[in-house]
Amino acid sequence: MELILKYFPNLTEDQIDKFSKLEALYQDWNLKINVVSRKDIDELYLRHVLHSLAVAKVIEFKPGTKIMDVGTGGGFPGIPLAILFPECSFHLVDSIAKKLKVVDEVVEGLGLENVKTTNKRVEEIKGNYDFIVSRAVAAMPTFVHWVKGKIAKKQNHEIKNGIIYLKGGDLSEELQDYKTATIYNIMDFFNEDFFETKKVVHLPLKYKG
């Protein structure tokens, strides 16, 4: 928890309480339904929570923003971002039901009222979102194809509506066709070695009416 406060010192008491509860909730549920590896559970705040919050160093979501987390797995980056931005709505989507079972239990355990979950493939989801976040569930061209037509028209932020993607490694080949993509090195925000090769990618997407 100190790790989160190191980079986000202005959290409210309620946010600190919710972030503090994450570890016990995940440890408890992970014993019943394994969604996070053992090593990752031991370093939950570094590898999952803080990693998810790198998105917040690129953009501060304004109240009322609609965000979809595609392939949320155990609830990352959606749950940490939902704690950080309580006035935004988060839709966590995954095609694997057992993962969402854990997410639902964690959401309930935290009393998060700005999160809903759906057990479907993202292509089947209806509706528009200001931003679509995800953590390396597919190569960017595949991901763009999945979320086509799901971006809201109205722009409310300094950076344009679209995809905010957490990804590692060399992205030059994967992003060569996306000239509007911006790559942020997470090491510019957080100084832990874990983030050495990790990036946040912002790819604006146009509204398709």
Side-chain angles (χ1 to χ4, degrees):
M1 187 57 218
E2 291 78 30
L3 191 59
I4 307 305
L5 286 168
K6 176 180 170 183
Y7 295 108
F8 297 91
N10 301 322
L11 296 176
T12 65
E13 281 186 27
D14 182 59
Q15 287 170 321
I16 291 170
D17 180 55
K18 285 183 167 68
F19 278 123
S20 299
K21 286 177 177 168
L22 280 176
E23 188 167 31
L25 281 166
Y26 275 105
Q27 282 183 333
D28 184 39
W29 275 98
N30 212 52
L31 291 172
K32 302 168 193 170
I33 305 171
N34 192 277
V35 292
V36 179
S37 77
R38 184 63 224 239
K39 186 171 184 188
D40 282 4
I41 277 285
D42 291 342
E43 295 192 62
L44 186 79
Y45 287 101
L46 174 70
R47 292 167 171 254
H48 293 283
V49 182
L50 191 59
H51 190 200
S52 298
L53 294 176
V55 169
K57 293 296 186 183
V58 171
I59 181 170
E60 185 157 339
F61 295 123
K62 294 181 178 174
T65 303
K66 288 176 67 184
I67 299 126
M68 177 162 63
D69 176 5
V70 173
T72 190
F76 302 102
I79 286 177
L81 290 172
I83 297 172
L84 196 64
F85 299 105
E87 294 178 356
C88 299
S89 60
F90 288 83
H91 187 181
L92 278 49
V93 177
D94 206 287
S95 60
I96 300 171
K98 77 166 189 176
K99 291 185 175 179
L100 284 183
K101 168 77 175 157
V102 174
V103 173
D104 287 337
E105 295 295 343
V106 171
V107 166
E108 190 178 329
L110 295 174
L112 282 175
E113 293 178 357
N114 59 334
V115 175
K116 71 171 183 175
T117 62
T118 303
N119 175 214
K120 278 184 178 174
R121 291 164 59 93
V122 64
E123 299 96 314
E124 300 167 39
I125 302 289
K126 302 277 186 278
N128 288 338
Y129 300 84
D130 301 298
F131 293 96
I132 295 173
V133 299
S134 189
R135 199 162 66 149
V137 294
M140 190 62 93
T142 305
F143 192 76
V144 169
H145 177 71
W146 287 350
V147 302
K148 214 160 50 181
K150 298 189 193 321
I151 297 296
K153 186 175 186 179
K154 191 175 181 210
Q155 306 276 347
N156 296 312
H157 294 79
E158 284 173 21
I159 71 172
K160 290 181 176 171
N161 293 1
I163 293 168
I164 301 176
Y165 214 46
L166 292 164
K167 200 100 201 248
D170 182 3
L171 303 176
S172 49
E173 194 174 321
E174 190 174 320
L175 296 175
Q176 63 185 359
D177 295 333
Y178 302 103
K179 305 300 180 209
T180 56
T182 306
I183 301 171
Y184 302 86
N185 290 311
I186 296 181
M187 283 293 276
D188 291 343
F189 316 127
F190 307 144
N191 57 22
E192 283 70 22
D193 291 344
F194 174 71
F195 299 112
E196 197 172 338
T197 61
K198 295 185 166 42
K199 323 270 198 302
V200 181
V201 180
H202 169 239
L203 178 64
L205 288 184
K206 287 194 167 66
Y207 166 77
K208 290 193 167 55

